């Protein structure tokens, strides 16, 4: 009973406080965008490592004045916290992961892309291995005919958690470096070739 109550309270307060924290960290850091000025108006898959996703909404805002995206979030309590937090930034979610119920999630994501939404995904999520690209993002892009934009978010000052993904939280009063690739077309690539390209691209500024 106590656990249910504490979780219910967490779902009310943590997302709101989390959204305020993200805004505080963003606006107290200098920002440098190493990225193309514009991308296609067509639906795009934005990919970043799980450990770098905290400040992702602001990279998305750099390209889309009006948010029209859904982020793939794992279907558990932590995922629900993330889902409710990013709603404060106008982003929707798709519940599930490409590790569990992969076929259902991929079909849902492909349908969402064809409906005109962008998709946000962490290729090594929801539980790793860290910095290893699962096939889901490649299959999704190929079946939906969507391009991929690779995103790295590198703060000069940060805390790093002792979690599987070594989750990064920027400290205030540093510099946030946002890196974004040009649109990548994996439509004609073999899985292993596309996987290697995405992995190298997401590690380009380590």
């Amino acid at each position: 009973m106590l656990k249910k109550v504490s979780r219910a309270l967490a779902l009310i307060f943590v997302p709101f406080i989390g959204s305020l924290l993200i805004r505080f960290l963003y606006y107290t850091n200098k920002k440098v965008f190493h990225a193309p000025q514009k991308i296609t108006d067509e639906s795009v898959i934005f990919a970043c490592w799980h450990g770098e996703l905290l400040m992702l909404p602001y990279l998305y805002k750099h390209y889309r004045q009006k948010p029209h995206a859904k982020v793939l979030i794992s279907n558990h309590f932590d995922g629900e916290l993330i889902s409710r937090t990013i709603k404060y930034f106008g982003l929707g979610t798709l519940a599930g992961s490409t590790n569990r119920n992969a076929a259902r999630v991929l079909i849902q994501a492909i349908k969402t892309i064809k409906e005109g939404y962008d998709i946000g995904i962490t290729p090594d999520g929801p539980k790793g291995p860290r910095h290893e690209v699962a096939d889901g993002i490649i299959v999704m892009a190929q079946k939906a005919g969507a391009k991929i934009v690779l995103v790295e978010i590198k703060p000069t000052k940060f805390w790093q958690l002792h979690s599987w993904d070594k989750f990064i939280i920027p400290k205030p009063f540093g510099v946030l470096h946002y890196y974004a690739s040009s649109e990548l077309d994996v439509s004609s690539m073999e899985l292993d070739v596309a996987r290697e390209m995405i992995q190298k691209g997401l590690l380009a500024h380590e």
Side-chain angles (χ1 to χ4, degrees), residues 96-115:
S97 77
T98 52
N99 291 337
R100 298 178 60 187
N101 302 316
R104 179 184 63 80
V105 173
L106 284 171
I107 290 169
Q108 188 179 11
I110 291 163
K111 180 182 177 183
T112 300
I113 292 169
K114 290 184 175 180
E115 289 172 349

Side-chain angles (χ1 to χ4, degrees), residues 53 71 116 149 151 158 190 192:
L53 64 81
V71 181
V149 172
V151 177
F158 57 90
E190 298 292 334
D192 56 345

Side-chain angles (χ1 to χ4, degrees), residues 75 102 105 189:
N75 193 14
V105 173
M189 291 186 184

Side-chain angles (χ1 to χ4, degrees), residues 16-64:
F16 175 68
I17 295 169
S19 69
L20 293 179
L21 174 64
I22 292 169
R23 287 188 171 94
F24 171 76
L25 294 175
Y26 182 79
Y27 287 111
T28 56
N29 273 273
K30 294 181 180 178
K31 277 73 66 177
V32 181
F33 287 87
H34 312 269
Q37 283 296 108
K38 294 182 69 176
I39 60 172
T40 178
D41 292 331
E42 296 178 1
S43 298
V44 167
I45 300 171
F46 290 88
C48 78
W49 295 131
H50 199 276
E52 298 180 16
L53 64 81
L54 186 65
M55 309 305 292
L56 183 60
Y58 285 103
L59 185 281
Y60 183 70
K61 191 175 181 181
H62 181 70
Y63 287 119
R64 309 294 198 210

